[in-house]
Amino acid sequence: MLPYLLIPVLPFVGFLVVGMFWPYFRGKGHWIAVPLIFASFFLSLKAFFDTLNGPSLHFVLYDWIHSGHFDVSISILIDHLTAIMLVMVTAVSALTHLYTVGYMKDDSGYDRFFAYISLFTFSMIMLLMSDNLLELFIFWEAVGFCSYVLIAHWYERKPSWVAANKAFIMNRVGDFGFLLGILLTYTTFGTLTYSEIFAKLPQHLHDTIRVLGAFNGLHASSVITVIALLLFVGAVGKSAQIPLHPWLPDAMEGPTPISALIHAATMVTAGIFMIARLSPIYNASPTALSVVAWTGALTAFVAATIALTQRDIKKIVAYSTMSQLGYMVMACGIGAYGAGIFHLLTHGFFKGLLFLAAGSVIHALAGEQDVFRMGGLGKIMKITFPTMLIGSLALSGIPPFAGFYSKDLILSMAFQDGMIGHVFWVIGVATALMTAFYSFRLIFMVFSGKERFSHDGHHGHAPHESPVVITIPLLCLAALAVVAGWLGERYDIIGYLAQDMTIPHAVGKPELSESALKTISVMAGVVGILIAFVMYGRPSELPQILARMFQPLFRFSQNKWYFDELYDLVFVRPTIFLSRLLWVEVDKGVIDTAVNGVASFCRFGGAAMRRIQTGQIQNYALVMALGLFGMVSLYLLIK
Amino acid sequence: MSFSAVNILGTMPEIYLTFFGCVLLILETIVPKEKRSWLGYFTILALVFAMIASIGLNGKGLPLYSGLYIIDPFSNFFKITIYVGAIITVLFSLPYLEQEDIHHGEYYAFILFSVVGMMVMVSAGDLITLFLGIELMSLCFYVLVGLKRESHRAVEASFKYFLLGAFSAAIFLFGISFLYGASGTETISGLAAFISNPGSLKPIVIAGMILTLVGFTFKVSAVPFHMWTPDVYEGAPTVVTGFMAAASKIAAFAVFLRVFWVAFSGNRHEWDILIVLISILSMAVGNVVALLQTNIKRMLAYSSIGHAGYALMALLLPNRESLFALLFYVFAYMFMTLGAFGIVLMMRKKGVEGEEISDFVGLHKRHPLAAFMMLIFMFSLAGIPPFGGFLAKFYIFYAVVHAGYVWLAVVGIIFAAIGAYYYLKVVMAMYMREPEESVEVHMTPMGKIGLALTAGTTLILGIYPAPFVEYIKSSLALFVP
């Protein structure tokens, strides 16, 4: 038990030690945090191999809440799903820790940063290991909190804390639904432990609930569907699906290691993990599944269109993350949980790689993030360029890189899912094409062509390759981005994961052969890359001409479908107006007066009563005698 | 009356402590003045010895001396709590007495004798035995309060306490004589049997009940029999104040419980209204008057009046829940009160005690540890989670709501909210203002142990109360009203 317990405990120790004594570390915090997280990674590998051919591990650490019929224990559950996720999370986390040593050097909050990413890693590991919904929820919130403090790492800069607030508040909306889902789960099943919920599921398949009962609504809906949808609201927030997605691109204001670890590889995938973990509930509700699938497909498509026109290197990668998350959610929605998790894992590696490489570019240019002011870096950054190229090829789904295997699997599963599945397949292929295009737009803009950056603005020295602590994680992740997909295919990861997850319905026979489907999706990627080459690979006026020709569409994409403006108009402004009203009129006017009145009344009463305390003993005796007299007469009175 | 060795065996802890108290009186003449602290260590050893003896007797429900004396888990719980309180008091007194120049050997003997008095109280199975216990305890306290013989304030406090104590003792005895006259018995079980008879409620019995109630409310310092409390708490040496506020109140609540729940439970609706009234008055006077105090000992005295009000509410419905709530309350209350007084007595200002609230200003800068401990005690007294005081209040209000007095719980919570103000005032003074005067904190190793015990228990009671809850529940096993 101890080795498994140490997986979460080691990062937590790192957090405690660095977090409590960070003023004393003075930039040496990594000596504590980095070895601990690597140890945690090796223990995760051990846990993975222990569970590879065996049963899942389950320990109850202690009973946390034990009250009436409500029992919640803090426990560790390592089944196949958790084990493989653990390996990915700890691997990316360990490499990110290492990368941070170089990237955040000279930052004033260096040790604080290490404390928080250790805390984040701990929370994420516990989230994966939980065996009940409440434990999941606690660490779901904990990772959200860590994300908040890390986005706001440079809290002196306004965009940072604005973005942090946005992320926190948008997640709050999702978490509200999630919590409602947990409460409804408890009232329906009387338990929050996964295994017990799944065991009781068949008894409640036909239960109904009047959702709008409080408003005299009479429409009854299936409880399972309502639970599944409410829980999905949480996933929508956490995994940045439409309509709760705008926080994710803004979260790029945080330091780049955070973007790689939290906002690409791990935390944002928690929603997909949750759906896969609770797959029996989703399988029981076709309605919920189709909502999940459509949300995912829509997100994948919308995010890809937005990414086409962005200029900020990190935002491009962020929108590609959102788009890929949409893929995974869509995979879950069509019941291909295994494919979704497989894509989650490969995506964790290559997207972590892309972010870290982008960070390396930003580091080299001393903070420049606009791709239109880069270019020609391929000659200078001999390691960053090839690794980022590998990451982009993987993202574009070009064989034999990791993304090809998992993305292709999702697409072929979608194609086999009947008529609706064909629609998803078409959306998927279109998204894949756009993905390849914007990825290589980025590559060409940054690494080829003329140098468009100015030399003088960068501490007076030319752009340079990043130090070795930055490039080693890049190389490791690049290697993983190459082999992860092939390994998954070779060792049948789908069959491995299927031991823990059920599939909703039998998969039909595709009208097209496997190889034809593969060819089409690879072709989409290649075409995307070619278009990117034509437009950005060599000097041309084409982009400007196209932008002018499709002016409204271009604007629409560049302004991110006007989601932010819409939310500002519908939610933010009315809320601020209402809170100002409540503050000035109600709080200051009514409540403060009342509260101050009560306080002065109490003071006055105290002063009056204090006067009885004269210090004269005869008075004291008199009060006692009066008290006795009063008690007896009161008694006589009520008799 | 048959007399067997079992009786002696069952009262061994009391006998030990009496014996050790006498030994202390002799030792005092032998031990040189500069070695006086050895007497303190000896006292602690004696108390630990008695505690082991009491634990050895645990789990046995024995009526000794033909029912005059009861050894059961209930009384053992209170005895062990009182031992712990006494040990912490001695830990605090070692440096304090030295500084105040009142390090007399008889101090320790009186502590032990008063502990014996409390033990007799909590074990009494008969009203006369109970009275003996109360008097033994009170006589010791009269002396302890006036320990600073040359201090005007201390002598005044001692004298007031003595006179009013005698007054209340007279009322209490008067009540016992009424009850005896009506029922012909003064054992608690005999009274219970008598009162459960229908038609037994003659006015004379009611008068006896009210008079005994007055005696108890005096001891727990509930309104309107609280007048002595602020003056005595302020005048007495702080270490004695802490001991009085904690241990003697606990013993008084124990007998309150036993007499009212065992003997008078037959007609509890008769006295419910009185308890409600007394508890509301206590909460009101305690919390509201405390707002204006500038002396922290007086403030804590009023706060203890308020706390007596909360605790009394648990007497309203005799069942396991409220019984448990009351026991948990007094248990948590003892640690936080002792700890708060412990901090107060360590504050020194130019050779005298720093007992004004203004002396705490900026303590956080000068002595962060002491300030943090005080923060724990103040938060706990105010009933803020995650400290023991919060859970204690929670259990009390839970029991009150279950007894059907929802409105009373609301009143209690309102007063708790008012009370939070003056506790937080101390915290604010410590943390949010800059230090002005040169007040020092004298912490000795023994005092640190005492603070660690009190603060640690206060914290653990709030975070992981399960073992204490189990222990309290087990001590109620044989005591079912």
Side-chain angles (χ1 to χ4, degrees):
Chain A
M1 176 176 165
L2 187 65
Y4 310 116
L5 184 60
L6 281 178
I7 298 173
V9 165
L10 289 177
F12 190 62
V13 169
F15 159 66
L16 286 182
V17 173
V18 182
M20 281 201 283
F21 305 106
W22 69 265
Y24 304 104
F25 276 104
R26 299 175 197 287
K28 295 279 184 291
H30 56 269
W31 288 113
I32 303 286
V34 177
L36 284 174
I37 187 73
F38 270 93
S40 179
F41 165 63
F42 289 119
L43 288 171
S44 301
L45 275 182
K46 174 181 154 42
F48 174 70
F49 287 113
D50 285 353
T51 53
L52 194 58
N53 295 311
S56 52
L57 303 157
H58 192 188
F59 316 101
V60 174
L61 292 185
Y62 64 96
D63 279 334
W64 181 42
I65 300 174
H66 180 81
S67 152
H69 301 290
F70 185 59
D71 280 300
V72 176
S73 54
I74 297 294
S75 32
I76 285 183
L77 168 70
I78 305 181
D79 61 358
H80 301 98
L81 176 60
T82 301
I84 199 158
M85 289 281 290
L86 274 181
V87 173
M88 191 276 281
V89 167
T90 49
V92 177
S93 178
L95 293 172
T96 312
H97 271 70
L98 193 60
Y99 177 91
T100 307
V101 175
Y103 189 81
M104 299 292 283
K105 196 160 60 88
D106 309 328
D107 191 276
S108 61
Y110 184 80
D111 300 309
R112 178 162 52 92
F113 189 83
F114 269 106
Y116 283 134
I117 45 174
S118 291
L119 178 64
F120 167 79
T121 311
F122 159 72
S123 311
M124 190 68 206
I125 291 171
M126 286 305 288
L127 188 155
L128 298 174
M129 284 182 165
S130 60
D131 82 333
N132 60 67
L133 276 173
L134 194 64
E135 197 184 341
L136 176 79
F137 181 71
I138 292 162
F139 291 104
W140 181 277
E141 292 298 305
V143 290
F145 166 75
C146 294
S147 154
Y148 168 79
V149 286
L150 286 166
I151 296 170
H153 180 71
W154 292 312
Y155 52 83
E156 308 89 348
R157 292 175 50 230
K158 189 178 177 203
S160 294
W161 56 259
V162 169
N165 278 346
K166 189 169 180 179
F168 200 72
I169 292 166
M170 288 219 138
N171 270 298
R172 201 76 304 111
V173 178
D175 295 344
F176 179 63
F178 194 53
L179 195 55
L180 285 181
I182 292 175
L183 295 176
L184 188 58
T185 310
Y186 180 68
T187 51
T188 309
F189 298 103
T191 174
L192 291 176
T193 311
Y194 302 143
S195 51
E196 291 173 26
I197 295 174
F198 300 157
K200 289 186 181 169
L201 201 55
Q203 304 163 24
H204 297 279
L205 276 183
H206 303 293
D207 288 12
T208 54
I209 182 175
R210 295 219 319 264
V211 177
L212 297 176
F215 307 104
N216 298 323
L218 290 174
H219 178 68
S221 23
S222 153
V223 171
I224 305 292
T225 303
V226 176
I227 288 176
L229 288 177
L230 284 172
L231 293 175
F232 181 59
V233 172
V236 167
K238 197 59 94 210
S239 295
Q241 300 295 296
I242 286 175
L244 293 177
H245 67 281
W247 68 269
L248 183 62
D250 286 23
M252 297 305 130
E253 289 297 338
T256 307
I258 293 317
S259 311
L261 177 62
I262 302 186
H263 304 121
T266 57
M267 184 190 83
V268 288
T269 59
I272 290 113
F273 169 77
M274 189 270 291
I275 298 174
R277 171 59 86 212
L278 299 177
S279 54
I281 295 183
Y282 284 90
N283 289 341
S285 169
T287 323
L289 271 183
S290 73
V291 171
V292 172
W294 275 110
T295 312
L298 210 62
T299 308
F301 183 76
V302 170
T305 57
I306 296 173
L308 295 176
T309 55
Q310 296 302 307
R311 292 170 65 111
D312 184 317
I313 182 167
K314 282 180 75 181
K315 290 234 161 128
I316 298 172
V317 188
Y319 277 106
S320 87
T321 304
M322 195 179 134
S323 169
Q324 298 303 308
L325 290 170
Y327 257 107
M328 299 170 210
V329 170
M330 183 178 89
C332 292
I334 56 176
Y337 303 108
I341 295 293
F342 183 26
H343 193 53
L344 188 164
L345 296 168
T346 56
H347 173 258
F349 294 128
F350 66 70
K351 190 50 64 65
L353 167 63
L354 279 177
F355 263 116
L356 294 185
S360 175
V361 170
I362 296 167
H363 187 73
L365 296 176
E368 182 56 66
Q369 299 202 3
D370 188 345
V371 289
F372 282 84
R373 297 171 66 187
M374 297 177 181
L377 285 174
K379 299 187 288 292
I380 304 160
M381 309 189 76
K382 291 273 192 273
I383 297 175
T384 307
F385 173 49
T387 51
M388 194 158 187
L389 186 64
I390 289 172
S392 296
L393 286 168
L395 176 61
S396 309
I398 305 297
F401 298 100
F404 162 70
Y405 293 95
S406 49
K407 193 188 244 180
D408 184 65
L409 195 61
I410 293 178
L411 287 176
S412 75
M413 295 294 266
F415 192 79
Q416 293 163 38
D417 196 36
M419 266 316 287
I420 297 293
H422 286 34
V423 179
F424 290 140
W425 181 78
V426 170
I427 295 174
V429 171
T431 307
L433 193 149
M434 286 190 277
T435 307
F437 169 75
Y438 65 69
S439 306
F440 277 84
R441 169 175 173 264
L442 174 71
I443 292 284
F444 291 130
M445 296 288 282
V446 174
F447 292 107
S448 70
K450 282 207 301 284
E451 299 176 2
R452 290 183 295 273
F453 49 84
S454 57
H455 280 274
D456 46 304
H458 304 113
H459 305 305
H461 60 72
H464 52 90
E465 179 58 284
S466 302
V468 72
V469 278
I470 289 188
T471 50
I472 285 179
L474 290 181
L475 290 170
C476 293
L477 281 172
L480 284 166
V482 174
V483 298
W486 179 78
L487 280 176
E489 173 111 341
R490 168 79 179 70
Y491 292 102
D492 189 25
I493 185 171
I494 304 299
Y496 168 81
L497 286 171
Q499 297 170 56
D500 298 316
M501 288 177 290
T502 46
I503 306 298
H505 41 76
V507 175
K509 257 212 150 333
E511 294 91 350
L512 282 169
S513 69
E514 281 286 315
S515 54
L517 285 173
K518 273 189 182 152
T519 317
I520 293 173
S521 57
V522 173
M523 282 308 293
V526 172
V527 169
I529 295 172
L530 284 177
I531 299 173
F533 178 73
V534 170
M535 283 174 72
Y536 299 99
R538 58 211 166 90
S540 101
E541 293 293 307
L542 208 55
Q544 283 83 2
I545 297 167
L546 284 175
R548 237 174 286 127
M549 272 170 65
F550 300 103
Q551 177 85 352
L553 280 178
F554 181 79
R555 280 275 166 76
F556 203 58
S557 160
Q558 199 175 29
N559 288 312
K560 308 154 200 164
W561 290 42
Y562 295 102
F563 269 108
D564 281 333
E565 287 75 8
L566 182 74
Y567 288 168
D568 192 53
L569 196 71
V570 179
F571 298 112
V572 179
R573 276 168 205 282
T575 309
I576 289 176
F577 173 74
L578 191 67
S579 25
R580 185 168 286 277
L581 191 77
L582 288 174
W583 167 45
V584 176
E585 299 299 328
V586 179
D587 193 56
K588 281 193 152 179
V590 181
I591 295 175
D592 278 9
T593 319
V595 168
N596 291 338
V598 169
S600 50
F601 175 76
C602 283
R603 252 168 202 289
F604 179 76
M609 274 193 265
R610 195 161 73 149
R611 227 168 283 152
I612 305 171
Q613 196 81 27
T614 51
Q616 302 289 321
I617 194 159
Q618 54 270 44
N619 289 356
Y620 292 5
L622 182 67
V623 171
M624 278 175 71
L626 284 177
L628 177 59
F629 179 72
M631 276 161 68
V632 175
S633 40
L634 177 82
Y635 187 78
L636 293 176
L637 204 72
I638 56 169
K639 260 299 169 188
Chain B
M1 183 191 260
S2 68
F3 194 84
S4 71
V6 175
N7 293 333
I8 304 283
L9 210 61
T11 45
M12 263 338 239
E14 286 84 348
I15 295 172
Y16 285 143
L17 283 186
T18 319
F19 171 71
F20 286 129
C22 297
V23 169
L24 269 170
L25 286 177
I26 299 168
L27 279 181
E28 192 235 338
T29 58
I30 303 170
V31 173
K33 205 168 166 24
E34 60 276 9
K35 291 272 170 66
R36 282 271 161 77
S37 49
W38 290 100
L39 296 178
Y41 302 136
F42 182 79
T43 316
I44 293 174
L45 275 182
L47 285 162
V48 171
F49 194 66
M51 192 189 304
I52 292 167
S54 280
I55 290 170
L57 288 168
N58 215 348
K60 300 186 176 62
L62 292 175
L64 303 175
Y65 303 102
S66 324
L68 294 185
Y69 208 75
I70 304 170
I71 303 289
D72 57 2
F74 175 79
S75 64
N76 260 334
F77 165 76
F78 280 100
K79 281 179 191 170
I80 287 165
T81 314
I82 290 164
Y83 296 142
V84 174
I87 289 172
I88 294 171
T89 307
V90 174
L91 286 175
F92 284 144
S93 39
L94 284 168
Y96 178 80
L97 297 177
E98 208 62 69
Q99 282 162 357
E100 292 284 315
D101 200 23
I102 45 172
H103 207 160
H104 310 301
E106 65 262 31
Y107 168 82
Y108 298 110
F110 278 119
I111 291 272
L112 286 190
F113 290 144
S114 69
V115 169
V116 174
M118 295 176 207
M119 291 161 74
V120 173
M121 281 163 76
V122 300
S123 275
D126 160 290
L127 292 180
I128 294 297
T129 318
L130 172 59
F131 181 72
L132 280 178
I134 292 182
E135 283 311 293
L136 178 52
M137 178 190 83
S138 305
L139 283 172
C140 294
F141 275 129
Y142 301 147
V143 178
L144 286 173
V145 169
L147 202 61
K148 250 194 270 184
R149 264 164 291 188
E150 60 288 346
S151 156
H152 189 69
R153 271 197 324 180
V155 174
E156 183 191 325
S158 171
F159 193 63
K160 275 181 183 167
Y161 190 29
F162 173 66
L163 277 182
L164 292 173
F167 196 44
S168 85
I171 295 173
F172 184 60
L173 265 186
F174 204 35
I176 295 177
S177 68
F178 274 19
L179 288 173
Y180 181 69
S183 65
T185 176
E186 78 272 13
T187 59
I188 290 174
S189 49
L191 274 173
F194 173 74
I195 284 174
S196 57
N197 286 331
S200 65
L201 287 179
K202 299 187 207 88
I204 187 168
V205 178
I206 304 291
M209 278 167 56
I210 294 178
L211 291 170
T212 42
L213 178 68
V214 170
F216 291 131
T217 41
F218 179 83
K219 284 293 163 213
V220 301
S221 67
V223 179
F225 309 101
H226 68 288
M227 303 293 283
W228 58 279
T229 319
D231 292 13
V232 173
Y233 277 23
E234 190 190 352
T238 313
V239 63
V240 176
T241 313
F243 190 47
M244 271 169 71
S248 84
K249 264 200 175 181
I250 286 182
F253 267 112
V255 291
F256 212 140
L257 272 180
R258 214 195 268 281
V259 171
F260 271 73
W261 272 2
V262 181
F264 298 161
S265 62
N267 61 342
R268 68 174 189 87
H269 289 293
E270 305 297 327
W271 43 270
D272 261 7
I273 173 78
L274 294 179
I275 298 281
V276 169
L277 205 68
I278 291 172
S279 77
I280 291 180
L281 276 176
S282 302
M283 289 187 290
V285 170
N287 285 315
V288 173
V289 180
L291 295 178
L292 296 172
Q293 301 304 321
T294 52
N295 181 302
I296 192 141
K297 281 165 78 178
R298 273 188 100 81
M299 188 203 94
L300 286 171
Y302 280 107
S303 118
S304 91
I305 295 171
H307 280 282
Y310 301 125
L312 277 176
M313 290 198 291
L315 283 167
L316 287 174
L317 186 70
N319 63 6
R320 247 161 217 284
E321 227 162 54
S322 49
L323 195 56
F324 163 74
L326 183 52
L327 261 59
F328 191 91
Y329 196 90
V330 294
F331 190 70
Y333 173 76
M334 182 184 87
F335 286 100
M336 54 207 193
T337 310
L338 263 182
F341 279 110
I343 297 277
V344 173
L345 64 87
M346 286 175 188
M347 307 275 294
R348 308 298 299 183
K349 186 171 63 180
K350 300 186 196 89
V352 292
E353 267 184 89
E355 54 183 49
E356 295 298 314
I357 292 177
S358 58
D359 295 335
F360 281 82
V361 166
L363 187 67
H364 155 66
K365 287 267 168 61
R366 282 175 286 126
H367 208 297
L369 187 65
F372 183 66
M373 298 261 187
M374 195 64 176
L375 172 106
I376 291 181
F377 299 129
M378 288 295 127
F379 274 14
S380 183
L381 282 166
I384 294 170
F387 302 106
F390 163 72
L391 266 190
K393 276 209 178 71
F394 171 77
Y395 286 132
I396 290 276
F397 290 133
Y398 186 73
V400 172
V401 169
H402 268 225
Y405 289 94
V406 177
W407 64 270
L408 185 60
V410 172
V411 170
I413 287 166
I414 289 172
F415 281 120
I418 294 174
Y421 171 77
Y422 57 86
Y423 295 121
L424 294 182
K425 200 164 75 171
V426 177
V427 175
M428 202 188 78
M430 289 191 303
Y431 277 89
M432 303 195 177
R433 306 222 318 252
E434 289 300 309
E436 289 159 3
E437 286 174 275
S438 57
V439 182
E440 288 162 38
V441 179
H442 277 271
M443 271 205 190
T444 55
M446 287 297 137
K448 272 186 193 159
I449 295 175
L451 280 182
L453 267 176
T454 46
T457 316
T458 306
L459 197 61
I460 292 169
L461 275 173
I463 294 170
Y464 189 55
F468 297 97
V469 170
E470 287 303 312
Y471 173 58
I472 294 174
K473 283 195 171 150
S474 75
S475 71
L476 289 173
L478 293 177
F479 184 87
V480 185

